[in-house]
Amino acid sequence: MNNIPSVNLADFLSDDPKRKQKFVDEIGKAYEEIGFVALKNHFLSDELVEELYKEVKAFFNLPLEIKKKYEIEGLAGQRGYISFGKEHAKGKKEGDLKEFWHFGQEPAEDSNLIEEYPENVQVEELKDFNHVGMEAYRMLEKTGIYVLRALALYIGLDEHYFDHWASNGNSILRPIHYPPINEEPKGAVRAGAHGDINLITLLMGASTGGLQVLRKDGEWIDAIPQEDELVINVGDMLERLTNNKLRSTIHRVVNPPKEEWDKPRYSIPFFMHPRSEMPLNCLEECIDEDHPKQYEDITAGEFLHQRLVEIGLAKK
């Protein structure tokens, strides 16, 4: 396998039970083997994607002193602007060669949350930035819930097992800017090798190149979707919940060849997190004699805090 498998969400949404089952089997098998798929026929329109990129580029083109006023202390980087080099991969000292922004959940009034999410940071200089960002957030969240429904069926759970936990969950939309590289990076890359923390990640912008996935045999392969496809991968929370049945695969964003150092790169991942009180205890359906329980019981909120400390965004 030299590229990630491609799946079609239209199969899952069709009225044909065979097509629906085909999608369940394809995505489940891919997540057991490599932890990544490219997904076509998601809920993001071409117009919304174009608008989002326009707003994101306009924000990152603002002067640094303006961007810096949106970097809010005390939020562990969960909302607003996070400046260049601040985040690093777990176990790595060098900061990644990127700056980024975080949009967070704006829960429904009847969501019955036991936690309070921080408010989103409003950008005064760009009147459409927040509105467009949150519209994309909703469409990615909707796509993610359908993917989780397919995975619930694959695992042997009720199709709607994840609906409550993922709706109004602590998800993050992260537009990222990798600026042009001006000098030889000293051990730093655009994004160091890492696994994601969350349930699943839905990524826009991988078609510009640079994303690599670590295969089971230790080989790095390029993840190159079609332009209209999202790359969707399993995160550590889902790997833990399924007792390693579904794989959270290590991936990275490598620096481009030297002749392309002058080109910036943009990508926009949506990190789908559940509500913080969701138990990540290994599911009974994923435990048997050959696959004994691998992890201690923990909630999603506790696990998230541990990991934010490890990657330098939160204090102990």
Side-chain angles (χ1 to χ4, degrees):
M1 187 189 291
N2 291 319
N3 197 10
I4 56 174
S6 182
V7 294
N8 187 346
L9 188 59
D11 288 336
F12 188 71
L13 299 175
S14 83
D15 295 327
D16 179 350
K18 284 184 180 164
R19 278 184 71 190
K20 185 172 180 176
Q21 189 60 46
K22 174 176 174 278
F23 181 87
V24 169
D25 293 340
E26 284 175 350
I27 199 167
K29 184 168 178 281
Y31 282 167
E32 280 199 36
E33 289 182 356
I34 197 163
F36 272 77
V37 296
L39 179 108
K40 56 170 72 75
N41 286 315
H42 46 78
F43 293 105
L44 283 167
S45 67
D46 292 345
E47 295 74 30
L48 180 54
V49 170
E50 202 176 312
E51 228 178 314
L52 181 62
Y53 273 107
K54 190 182 101 190
E55 293 300 322
V56 163
K57 287 174 183 177
F59 174 78
F60 288 120
N61 280 332
L62 290 171
L64 184 59
E65 61 271 19
I66 290 180
K67 290 186 286 191
K68 279 280 206 183
K69 75 179 184 180
Y70 297 115
E71 190 158 31
I72 315 297
E73 285 298 315
L75 285 183
Q78 291 304 286
R79 298 290 183 274
Y81 178 64
I82 296 87
S83 51
F84 186 81
K86 187 160 272 192
E87 186 183 71
H88 56 79
K90 180 181 168 183
K92 209 172 187 309
K93 289 191 185 122
E94 298 84 10
D96 290 341
L97 304 178
K98 67 189 182 194
E99 57 179 344
F100 53 98
W101 179 272
H102 275 165
F103 294 103
Q105 184 67 265
E106 293 177 355
E109 282 182 24
D110 60 354
S111 57
N112 299 317
L113 285 169
I114 65 164
E115 64 189 312
E116 202 171 314
Y117 297 137
E119 295 283 319
N120 274 313
V121 178
Q122 303 296 311
V123 176
E124 298 160 7
E125 290 77 9
L126 301 168
K127 66 180 177 60
D128 294 327
F129 179 79
N130 287 82
H131 164 72
V132 171
M134 287 312 295
E135 201 177 327
Y137 185 108
R138 293 280 163 246
M139 292 301 102
L140 287 159
E141 184 176 53
K142 183 178 178 182
T143 302
I145 284 172
Y146 278 102
V147 168
L148 289 171
R149 285 178 182 174
L151 295 177
L153 290 171
Y154 186 75
I155 295 161
L157 302 167
D158 179 83
E159 181 175 341
H160 300 281
Y161 175 85
F162 290 102
D163 285 18
H164 167 74
W165 299 118
S167 302
N168 298 295
N170 193 16
S171 300
I172 292 282
L173 179 63
R174 173 189 281 191
I176 305 172
H177 173 223
Y178 303 96
I181 298 169
N182 299 318
E183 58 184 348
E184 189 70 49
K186 296 177 177 61
V189 292
R190 284 184 157 173
H194 65 284
D196 292 340
I197 301 169
N198 39 290
L199 288 171
I200 56 173
T201 301
L202 299 85
L203 175 66
M204 305 164 59
S207 54
T208 54
L211 178 65
Q212 293 188 331
V213 175
L214 189 62
R215 246 181 6 202
K216 272 183 184 174
D217 62 3
E219 287 291 312
W220 287 99
I221 62 166
D222 293 318
I224 307 172
Q226 299 299 312
E227 252 185 53
D228 61 344
E229 291 180 327
L230 295 174
V231 170
I232 307 184
N233 62 282
V234 173
D236 294 349
M237 287 185 183
L238 190 58
E239 179 177 73
R240 190 180 184 111
L241 186 70
T242 62
N243 198 36
N244 295 336
K245 181 179 175 70
L246 305 181
R247 299 183 60 227
S248 175
T249 303
I250 299 294
H251 52 285
R252 65 187 182 186
V253 179
V254 294
N255 298 334
K258 203 159 188 175
E259 61 271 18
E260 293 177 26
W261 278 11
D262 59 334
K263 294 190 176 89
R265 181 182 189 272
Y266 297 89
S267 72
I268 308 177
F270 179 76
F271 299 114
M272 195 154 198
H273 283 266
R275 296 164 183 248
S276 292
E277 71 270 25
M278 180 182 181
L280 296 181
N281 311 349
C282 299
L283 293 163
E284 291 299 323
E285 290 79 0
C286 301
I287 300 170
D288 58 32
E289 208 173 301
D290 295 329
H291 305 92
K293 185 179 176 184
Q294 296 295 309
Y295 300 103
E296 295 296 310
D297 294 351
I298 196 170
T299 66
E302 290 162 344
F303 183 69
L304 173 62
H305 181 73
Q306 278 180 15
R307 292 295 301 276
L308 290 176
V309 169
E310 288 170 352
I311 63 172
L313 288 181
K315 293 181 171 63
K316 282 186 183 176

